[in-house]
Amino acid sequence: MPHFVNTPYTLPVHDIVHRPGEMREHTLDITVPEDLGAGQIAVVTGQALHVDVRLEGLHEGILVSGTAIAEATGQCSRCLIDISEPVEVDFAELFAYDASEEFDYLVHDDHVDCEPVIRDAVVLALPFQPVCRPDCPGLDPVTGERLADVGERDAPEVIDPRWAALTELRTNLNDQADVTDGDISHGAPGATSDHDTVDHDTEER
């Protein structure tokens, strides 16, 4: 059996070991020694963690239950600004006396280490994709600006580069057609119509 190692999460239980029905209550104010969580939001190292713990003696071991309260910090998964949100979780696990029992946790040298129990409860309570607000619009896909600050914009038309040359050719042809139509409708400078020529010849005769 592993020997007892003192951590900020450990509590003595020598006064209730093998005494079913006995109960003790403890309060822990811990400066988190390692991050609780590894995603976009976590209760980070140095953050305050408040824990209310109840220890109850049972025939099989010690029932450890309580509530952990802390502040988680991280980044919005949509717009990437810094965010924080409170975390409050309940936990309950049995620490067995006998290693042969089918339990995940054991009493070591009349102590229980609550760290894995509290860690699992806090991490499971953290959002997988935290957001600064439920309707956060995220970032502009082109400029990278936060849309909540600048307002939503219509996405610019994206032209496949394979068609860019064809699009340019079509634009040039349309421009040339517009110029030709203008020449026909207004007439070229100095141009004389066939009707005017016939009338002039008649007058001379």
Side-chain angles (χ1 to χ4, degrees):
M1 178 183 296
H3 292 292
F4 159 69
V5 177
N6 189 29
T7 76
Y9 299 91
T10 56
L11 290 170
V13 293
H14 58 84
D15 54 342
I16 60 173
V17 168
H18 298 296
R19 298 178 64 183
E22 291 290 326
M23 183 187 71
R24 300 289 184 270
E25 292 183 342
H26 296 268
T27 296
L28 300 175
D29 285 302
I30 300 169
T31 300
V32 177
E34 296 180 1
D35 289 0
L36 303 178
Q40 289 185 290
I41 192 168
V43 178
V44 299
T45 302
Q47 186 64 262
L49 175 66
H50 178 82
V51 186
D52 291 319
V53 186
R54 172 179 292 183
L55 306 175
E56 298 178 65
L58 304 177
H59 291 286
E60 302 89 352
I62 305 294
L63 177 63
V64 178
S65 61
T67 302
I69 301 173
E71 190 82 8
T73 57
Q75 285 187 324
C76 174
S77 61
R78 296 179 187 170
C79 68
L80 305 182
I81 65 167
D82 293 337
I83 59 173
S84 64
E85 62 178 71
V87 178
E88 182 172 345
V89 293
D90 296 326
F91 56 89
E93 289 289 348
L94 180 66
F95 284 71
Y97 296 132
D98 189 345
S100 64
E101 297 286 346
E102 295 183 358
F103 295 105
D104 294 329
Y105 306 102
L106 297 174
V107 176
H108 295 307
D109 295 339
D110 293 342
H111 285 79
V112 293
D113 182 6
C114 304
E115 189 273 339
V117 177
I118 295 173
R119 172 181 291 276
D120 288 349
V122 170
V123 170
L124 289 175
L126 297 175
F128 179 67
Q129 292 184 319
V131 291
C132 58
R133 69 186 201 202
D135 60 345
C136 173
L139 299 175
D140 187 293
V142 177
T143 66
E145 295 176 285
R146 185 170 180 260
L147 291 175
D149 296 332
V150 300
E152 295 194 45
R153 304 167 177 168
D154 293 333
E157 182 181 0
V158 179
I159 300 176
D160 191 318
R162 293 172 296 179
W163 298 103
L166 181 59
T167 301
E168 183 179 357
L169 177 61
R170 183 186 296 118
T171 301
N172 292 337
L173 291 175
N174 289 338
D175 292 342
Q176 291 174 7
D178 291 342
V179 171
T180 302
D181 291 343
D183 290 345
I184 293 174
S185 61
H186 295 92
T192 304
S193 68
D194 292 341
H195 177 70
D196 291 342
T197 302
V198 172
D199 291 344
H200 179 69
D201 291 344
T202 303
E203 289 176 0
E204 288 181 351
R205 291 174 185 171

